[in-house]
Amino acid sequence: MHDFQYKQGTFHCGEVPLEEIAKEVGTPFYCYSLPTLERHIRAFEDPLQDVDHQTCFAMKANSCLAILNTMARQGLGADVVSGGELYRALHAGIPAHKIVYSGVGKTTDEIDRAIRAGIMMFNIESEQELEVINARAGQLGKKAPISIRVNPDVDPHTHPYISTGMRDNKFGIDIEGSMAQYVKAREMENIEIVGIDCHIGSQLTDVTPFIDAVERLKVLIANLGKLGIEFRYLDLGGGLGITYSNEEPPNPKDYCTAILEAVGPLGLKLIFEPGRVIVGNAGILVTRVLYRKETKTKTFIIVDAGMNDLIRPALYGAYHEITPVEEHNGGTEKADVVGPICESSDFLAKERDLPRFVRGDLIAVMSAGAYGHTMASNYNSRPKPPEVLVDRTRFYVVSKRQSYEDLMSGEIVPDTIR
Ligand code: LLP
């Protein structure tokens, strides 16, 4: 049972009515439940209790400092993919030795910062990146800890935009080629081989692709062992899916049990990089109905949140459940829920059976805790919405709504142009 519930006909997060938060911060806003977040962390960590492991939260899913700080307090590390994420993670109190750095396009400045900070490891995604990291570490008089992100060529059966472990993806080094890269890395003066890594995709609803990837990696690990190449960490990435509508992904316990069984007695410390499964269903987006618009063929519910606030429906055709904040007893109608942005892809729901919403109604867009606020933009010069964290009876504004001044910060009009 999650923390978002109707009480006396009105939708609450914990003990706090969403209407009350809306009055205080305006709409739209993101709302996260702290108890749900903590429960999701425990659900992932409990099955791993007796296993040598480190969970590194994939902060691209949600990089709000208050959320990251919760991760830090629960002992989690972070999977970062940019200098900005590294900066945030450290600022939120996540120790550098619990940080892994993934991503195909690390810049030299980002590499230097990560080496200086003393991160757990770089997940290497190309031969050239390996060479650059070796050179930068040499410049800084340090050894850079690395693992190679192996692309195991398994089909994760998810949306093509979030599938990352197939031959044609830009991610990782193919399984055949990674052997040669490890051999090369071993000869590099400023590189320390510490791990092996893979991440095959996101929103996976079946364990089979994860298990296939583990099996392929085990063959590679054995072959590397024959060459005397050994390491401490096996990083299995993230990707476990959640229920948005009627998906039935394995729960974290089943996922962990299946993985542990497949890995067997390798003697390596396991690294996990979950994102969505921890935060996705711990957050919602709350928006207010601005207008109803009925055309000859359709009914549009125009709300004050747009694709700049939550881009998943526009980008992936993603489904997010729409829930009225005040329980409706009347009938339903088929409608599209759309935002104010000047694009036809600016929708939150299409052809849905919904209560008959009217101007002023509040709507909760469910399962928006992952890849919601982190993917928000200022398109159409719209300020990013605030984030609110609810802890049972209390709520905290953990990031403010941007102001119009914020939108122009750093901009300069040269006084010599006319
Ligand atoms: N590790 C790496 C290297 C990743 O690239 C990702 C996600 C994760 C971990 C975390 O995956 P998760 O556990 O959250 O599935 N914006 C898309 C999702 C993109 C995922 C990118 N990589 C969406 O809104 O569905």
Side-chain angles (χ1 to χ4, degrees):
M1 243 356 208
H2 58 54
D3 209 25
F4 299 99
Q5 303 261 6
Y6 286 102
K7 289 178 182 158
Q8 286 96 43
T10 182
F11 210 42
H12 284 60
C13 181
E15 299 303 317
V16 183
L18 291 167
E19 182 72 64
E20 189 182 319
I21 304 175
K23 275 199 191 110
E24 174 105 6
V25 304
T27 51
F29 66 91
Y30 278 92
C31 176
Y32 309 127
S33 155
L34 183 62
T36 304
L37 189 65
E38 290 172 337
R39 190 166 50 78
H40 289 176
I41 296 171
R42 279 197 306 277
F44 201 90
E45 290 298 286
D46 283 355
L48 297 169
Q49 220 171 7
D50 300 324
V51 178
D52 187 19
H53 80 286
Q54 176 63 54
T55 301
C56 296
F57 173 62
M59 58 180 282
K60 61 175 79 68
N62 192 315
S63 57
C64 175
L65 286 180
I67 301 270
L68 295 181
N69 183 258
T70 305
M71 304 295 169
R73 277 184 284 112
Q74 303 281 335
L76 268 58
D79 165 46
V80 307
V81 291
S82 71
E85 285 195 350
L86 175 64
Y87 188 79
R88 260 179 189 277
L90 294 171
H91 193 81
I94 295 178
H97 68 91
K98 292 185 181 176
I99 294 178
V100 297
Y101 195 148
S102 312
V104 294
K106 305 173 187 83
T107 66
T108 45
D109 175 63
E110 290 172 323
I111 290 166
D112 287 1
R113 285 169 188 267
I115 293 175
R116 283 204 197 94
I119 63 165
M120 183 197 308
M121 63 184 170
F122 289 97
N123 289 334
I124 303 287
E125 306 235 13
S126 66
E127 178 168 7
Q128 218 168 35
E129 181 194 332
L130 180 62
E131 287 162 2
V132 170
I133 292 183
N134 180 42
R136 292 315 305 165
Q139 280 284 321
L140 297 173
K142 306 231 170 167
K143 267 195 179 253
I146 65 108
S147 78
I148 288 182
R149 176 168 173 180
V150 177
N151 180 336
D153 192 27
V154 296
D155 186 349
H157 301 292
T158 185
H159 190 287
Y161 284 13
I162 51 178
S163 149
T164 48
M166 289 169 77
R167 195 175 291 276
D168 290 346
N169 296 131
K170 69 175 175 178
F171 299 97
I173 297 178
D174 62 81
I175 199 149
E176 299 84 15
S178 40
M179 191 90 169
Q181 293 313 312
Y182 270 109
V183 170
K184 193 169 161 178
R186 176 168 60 179
E187 305 309 321
M188 289 180 165
E189 211 168 315
N190 313 304
I191 293 289
E192 186 192 1
I193 298 172
V194 296
I196 186 163
D197 166 52
C198 79
H199 168 81
I200 55 174
S202 197
Q203 184 53 16
L204 271 70
T205 52
D206 181 9
V207 289
T208 316
F210 290 116
I211 303 306
D212 290 349
V214 168
E215 297 301 344
R216 291 185 188 190
L217 251 58
K218 276 170 71 175
V219 174
L220 180 60
I221 292 170
N223 288 336
L224 288 168
K226 286 182 201 146
L227 299 178
I229 297 176
E230 286 178 345
F231 24 69
R232 274 177 270 160
Y233 306 122
L234 168 58
D235 183 342
L236 294 169
L240 183 57
I242 62 169
T243 302
Y244 285 96
S245 63
N246 50 15
E247 304 90 337
E248 290 179 356
N251 62 36
K253 184 159 184 265
D254 294 343
Y255 161 84
C256 290
T257 311
I259 295 238
L260 293 178
E261 198 181 299
V263 169
L266 275 182
L268 297 174
K269 179 169 184 154
L270 297 183
I271 310 297
F272 294 94
E273 302 171 357
R276 189 187 320 260
V277 71
I278 307 284
V279 284
N281 276 323
I284 63 173
L285 173 68
V286 179
T287 178
R288 206 178 277 284
V289 176
L290 293 173
Y291 304 107
R292 284 182 64 84
K293 177 167 169 174
E294 285 165 34
T295 70
K296 285 207 181 81
T297 51
K298 281 179 95 90
T299 298
F300 293 102
I301 306 300
I302 303 169
V303 297
D304 63 4
M307 63 189 280
N308 73 297
D309 302 298
L310 178 65
I311 202 174
R312 302 193 70 259
L315 198 53
Y316 318 112
Y319 178 99
H320 286 264
E321 194 187 321
I322 301 284
T323 306
V325 168
E326 296 304 321
E327 235 166 1
H328 275 237
N329 299 320
T332 61
E333 63 181 354
K334 213 172 259 319
D336 286 12
V337 179
V338 300
I341 293 205
C342 309
E343 303 256 356
S344 292
S345 61
D346 182 27
F347 65 91
L348 295 174
K350 270 206 163 141
E351 294 287 312
R352 288 280 177 89
D353 286 317
L354 296 170
R356 251 189 83 81
F357 288 117
V358 298
R359 175 169 167 80
D361 279 351
L362 279 181
I363 290 179
V365 183
M366 304 303 291
S367 313
Y371 307 107
H373 198 275
T374 48
M375 293 181 82
S377 77
N378 291 128
Y379 189 36
N380 281 198
S381 282
R382 289 169 49 83
K384 287 189 201 173
E387 293 167 289
V388 173
L389 184 65
V390 178
D391 185 11
R392 298 172 182 87
T393 54
R394 303 187 61 174
F395 71 91
Y396 306 88
V397 179
V398 290
S399 79
K400 289 189 199 159
R401 186 182 308 284
Q402 285 183 318
S403 66
Y404 290 148
E405 289 74 34
D406 290 338
L407 293 185
M408 295 185 295
S409 109
E411 289 193 42
I412 295 158
V413 182
D415 54 14
T416 50
I417 59 169
R418 297 264 162 243

